[in-house]
Amino acid sequence: MYKLLLVEDNADLGSILKQYLEDNRFTVVWQKNGEEGLTAFTQDQFDLCVLDVMLPLKDGFTLAREIHALNEGVPFIFLTARGSKDDRIKGLKLSADDYITKPFDAEELVLRIRNILRRIKTPVESGPIQIGIYVVVDKN
């Protein structure tokens, strides 16, 4: 199961989205402001982050920048009401893997998350690997 960090300050949306993502077989840690989101990120490992932009204590753009500085390999999606061209460009320049504006379709969000994870989380082949005359076997 993939583990997601959801940072959303709207209690109703956060609760519904957390439940929907869990129903779709994700493990979700939900935080309600940017500071809590950063703390959670430093204390755990996540496969993907879903960030609102307009957050208390630390906005989503700043949070994304700090997450990226800690681990540039973790993908993230902005999920926000801020849909202007300038905001979308700013988010994508921060290396966001997607920028989705509210209102949105939850099923579409799940599909976008799965597509991103599928691209970056290539499963390792099991079984012996042969390199020239050498054979490497995983004994785990």
Side-chain angles (χ1 to χ4, degrees), residues 18-36:
K18 181 181 188 302
Q19 183 63 52
Y20 188 81
L21 291 168
E22 288 174 342
D23 289 347
N24 280 275
R25 301 172 51 211
F26 293 104
T27 299
V28 180
V29 173
W30 171 35
Q31 300 297 329
K32 297 177 181 111
N33 66 60
E35 288 292 335
E36 290 175 357

Side-chain angles (χ1 to χ4, degrees), residues 49-61:
C49 302
V50 179
L51 311 174
D52 189 2
V53 172
M54 296 183 293
L55 294 168
L57 304 182
K58 183 186 304 267
D59 69 87
F61 290 142

Side-chain angles (χ1 to χ4, degrees), residues 11 79 131-132:
L79 183 63
I131 304 169

Side-chain angles (χ1 to χ4, degrees), residues 5 7 31 33-44 46 51 58 62-68 70:
L5 173 62
V7 186
Q31 300 297 329
N33 66 60
E35 288 292 335
E36 290 175 357
L38 184 62
T39 299
F41 186 81
T42 61
Q43 295 176 348
D44 208 341
F46 296 95
L51 311 174
K58 183 186 304 267
T62 302
L63 177 58
R65 203 174 294 114
E66 292 174 356
I67 285 173
H68 191 72
L70 292 169

